[in-house]
Amino acid sequence: MTVWDDAMREALAEATKAVTWGDVPVGAVVLDEIGDIISRAANQRVRDDDPLAHAEMLALQRAADARRSAPGPAPIWRLDGCTMVVTLEPCAMCAGAIAQARLSRLVFGAFDDKAGAVASIFDVLRDPRLPHRPEVVSGVLADESAAMLRAFFEDRR
């Protein structure tokens, strides 16, 4: 058991929503500095017919929206101190967005051997050439995340 298990279970619950509209079951939540969930999302590419509607991208947008109503001097697009918890290792697009949003930490479940850009194929977030490199925690409830993905793809074969 890790400190991230509860948040990952919330992300897994989000991932199940994606299946209802025929999308790959990926879910994400963003936690603020004290560990409260400020946004959540599931893949919505199929539902919205939008190639950018990955769970991570939507969760980042919603976290910025949540910050708009919070007092403070920091720009709302900067998610300093926040943690994203996502069921699947992010792709290159999402990893880039995570870095640009200045998240402090990324926690993910299953590795993605085909498109993963945080450990599997690329390591975008820990590239020393980038000005912002969030902490990365991998493999949290990986078996549960991988099982959900495996079941989704087996049903389509």
Side-chain angles (χ1 to χ4, degrees):
M1 176 126 176
T2 73
V3 299
W4 304 112
D5 286 4
D6 289 341
M8 185 61 77
R9 285 187 186 90
E10 293 290 331
L12 285 163
E14 286 298 311
T16 62
K17 295 176 185 176
V19 176
T20 64
W21 47 74
D23 213 329
V24 177
V26 177
V29 297
V30 175
L31 311 171
D32 66 12
E33 299 84 352
I34 61 172
D36 292 336
I37 295 175
I38 60 171
S39 73
R40 55 181 70 235
N43 270 357
Q44 291 180 204
R45 297 170 309 158
V46 172
R47 188 186 85 174
D48 297 351
D49 202 20
D50 180 354
L52 303 180
H54 289 209
E56 301 96 325
M57 301 294 282
L58 297 169
L60 287 172
Q61 290 172 332
R62 293 170 185 168
D65 289 344
R67 288 283 172 117
R68 279 189 231 300
S69 61
I76 56 173
W77 64 267
R78 291 183 68 114
L79 298 175
D80 298 310
C82 292
T83 298
M84 175 178 284
V85 179
V86 62
T87 59
L88 181 64
E89 177 185 357
C91 69
M93 174 182 70
C94 294
I98 288 164
Q100 291 299 316
R102 307 297 196 270
L103 281 170
S104 293
R105 184 179 301 105
L106 169 71
V107 177
F108 71 88
F111 287 85
D112 185 348
D113 295 336
K114 294 183 180 180
V118 179
S120 295
I121 296 177
F122 304 108
D123 195 348
V124 171
L125 294 182
R126 292 176 283 207
D127 189 315
R129 296 170 292 184
L130 293 178
H132 179 75
R133 290 179 299 281
E135 174 188 355
V136 175
V137 178
S138 60
V140 176
L141 299 183
D143 291 341
E144 291 88 333
S145 296
M148 186 180 290
L149 289 158
R150 205 170 20 259
F152 175 80
F153 288 111
E154 284 173 359
D155 287 347
R156 273 142 187 80
R157 289 187 182 127

